[in-house]
Amino acid sequence: MDQHIAPVALEKASRLLNHGPTVLVSARHGCVQNVMAAAWACTLDFLPPKLTVVLDKSTSTRALIERSGTFVIQVPTVAQLTLTHQVGTRGLADHPDKLAHAGVELFDMEDYDQPFVAGCSAWLACKLLPEPRNQQVYDLFIGEVVGAWSDTRVFTDGRWHFETADPALRSLHYVAGGHFYATGDAMDSGIDDVT
Amino acid sequence: MDQHIAPVALEKASRLLNHGPTVLVSARHGCVQNVMAAAWACTLDFLPPKLTVVLDKSTSTRALIERSGTFVIQVPTVAQLTLTHQVGTRGLADHPDKLAHAGVELFDMEDYDQPFVAGCSAWLACKLLPEPRNQQVYDLFIGEVVGAWSDTRVFTDGRWHFETADPALRSLHYVAGGHFYATGDAMDSGIDDVT
């Protein structure tokens, strides 16, 4: 495992997606594996951590997730801008070499039989919580996060450090037509949490 | 209506949330109205546009939505940082003056009986699509967007213009504990969409 990758406690895992980044979704079933981009992914719960992701019926990744019951959500970086757009626009069915063409390098995480994308800033290994109606009617998939990791150069001690890390490690926020925004300046509300 | 507010075509409404901003959720039932912040909101479909938002059972806003069947999702700006955090941490039950205290100004949109928060950059009027299992088990609510508007100083012609607009109009991306990131630099993948 890359020297910069370290586990994130599950109770802090929601923070990896809280800022609303575009993500990469990866999955494997048998000898087939794929990676796609998804702008429509969102935290659903703190503990056990859960998330939602929208997966169109036309995607090969969706079929792999339905068969394997597992997937990985990872947070790509500014350095992976072109890779992210490429895996989000080319389908595996028409482009069987899409991963190699996009420069995707996959690696294994011990004890997790899922493909992880190298070079990201965070990884969330998920178990599908089957909800047939959501999946059929809304293309909406719910996952429980069973393992989480971050690149410690940009996420440590349970929080992001975009303001001090290499700008190439910032997250991407997709808009449309190949246009993205990077995560920007840090701001503090200046008030304490009250309930 | 504010001179800078203009309707957004429903087929472009998904773009208002595509970059993953923290949102404000507002709702009214009878003479009670409220506004809360939600970091867990996400686009669900293009047309008719739909979205998801996670609403904890303890929130007054959730009860208003369950009763009225309607709500508004709006995108707050950097200028509304403190307001956003305040309405996200103070509950209406314990703080009946929370809206006044946070400086929230509400306005009406013709033909929509819902409270809209002034000063935001985008507004999505939603009709609740009741999904009792999602709501009870996951606190997950699905809305169909029936009207959309933007502040034309930062979103026109179906796209955001954060790179040229006043930085005070950028969106907020919540992390935790009063810490946010603003939407940052624009980036282009440099490749055409292919399928």
Side-chain angles (χ1 to χ4, degrees), chain A residues 18-19 40 85-86 89 131 133-134 138 163 173-174 178-182 184-185 187-189 191 193-194, chain B residues 18-19 40 85 89 131 133-134 138 163 173-174 178-182 184-185 187-189 191 193-195:
Chain A
N18 220 75
H19 61 305
W40 301 351
H85 194 218
Q86 284 192 337
T89 50
E131 291 286 352
R133 176 173 163 80
N134 283 340
Y138 297 112
E163 55 273 42
H173 303 263
Y174 189 54
H179 302 292
F180 294 79
Y181 289 98
D185 294 341
M187 335 217 120
D188 196 303
S189 73
I191 56 168
D193 277 4
V194 288
Chain B
N18 220 74
H19 60 305
W40 300 350
H85 194 217
T89 50
E131 290 287 351
R133 176 173 163 80
N134 282 341
Y138 297 112
E163 55 274 41
H173 304 262
Y174 189 54
H179 302 293
F180 294 79
Y181 288 99
D185 294 341
M187 340 214 117
D188 196 302
S189 74
I191 55 169
D193 277 6
V194 288
T195 53

Side-chain angles (χ1 to χ4, degrees), chain A residues 1-43:
Chain A
M1 192 161 77
D2 186 294
Q3 57 171 326
H4 298 297
I5 302 178
V8 172
L10 284 183
E11 59 264 32
K12 302 287 190 191
S14 68
R15 297 190 180 182
L16 298 173
L17 291 186
N18 220 75
H19 61 305
T22 291
V23 302
L24 300 179
V25 189
S26 56
R28 175 193 296 153
H29 180 68
C31 58
V32 181
Q33 53 193 8
N34 198 24
V35 181
M36 63 177 274
W40 301 351
C42 193
T43 307

Side-chain angles (χ1 to χ4, degrees), chain A residues 77-82 85 167-184, chain B residues 159 162-163 170 183-191:
Chain A
T77 69
V78 163
Q80 295 172 304
L81 173 67
T82 304
H85 194 218
L169 289 170
R170 292 190 178 218
S171 302
L172 297 167
H173 303 263
Y174 189 54
V175 187
H179 302 292
F180 294 79
Y181 289 98
T183 305
Chain B
R159 59 167 296 187
F162 295 122
E163 55 274 41
R170 292 190 177 218
T183 304
D185 294 341
M187 340 214 117
D188 196 302
S189 74
I191 55 169

Side-chain angles (χ1 to χ4, degrees), chain B residues 26 28 72 74 105-109 112-118 123-125 149:
Chain B
S26 57
R28 175 192 296 152
V72 182
Q74 41 246 309
E105 185 190 334
L106 297 172
F107 68 101
D108 291 321
M109 207 72 89
Y112 293 85
D113 180 23
Q114 292 161 270
F116 293 74
V117 179
W123 298 263
L124 301 119
W149 301 264

Side-chain angles (χ1 to χ4, degrees), chain B residues 95-164:
Chain B
H95 301 274
D97 64 342
K98 72 172 264 192
L99 297 189
H101 184 271
V104 172
E105 185 190 334
L106 297 172
F107 68 101
D108 291 321
M109 207 72 89
E110 202 175 329
D111 299 328
Y112 293 85
D113 180 23
Q114 292 161 270
F116 293 74
V117 179
C120 292
S121 59
W123 298 263
L124 301 119
C126 298
K127 178 179 70 172
L128 177 65
L129 299 182
E131 290 287 351
R133 176 173 163 80
N134 282 341
Q135 296 169 204
Q136 281 307 310
V137 175
Y138 297 112
D139 296 333
L140 180 67
F141 288 71
I142 294 178
E144 179 182 330
V145 180
V146 294
W149 301 264
S150 71
D151 184 320
T152 55
R153 292 173 297 182
V154 65
F155 186 100
T156 51
D157 303 323
R159 59 167 296 187
W160 291 103
H161 299 280
F162 295 122
E163 55 274 41
T164 51

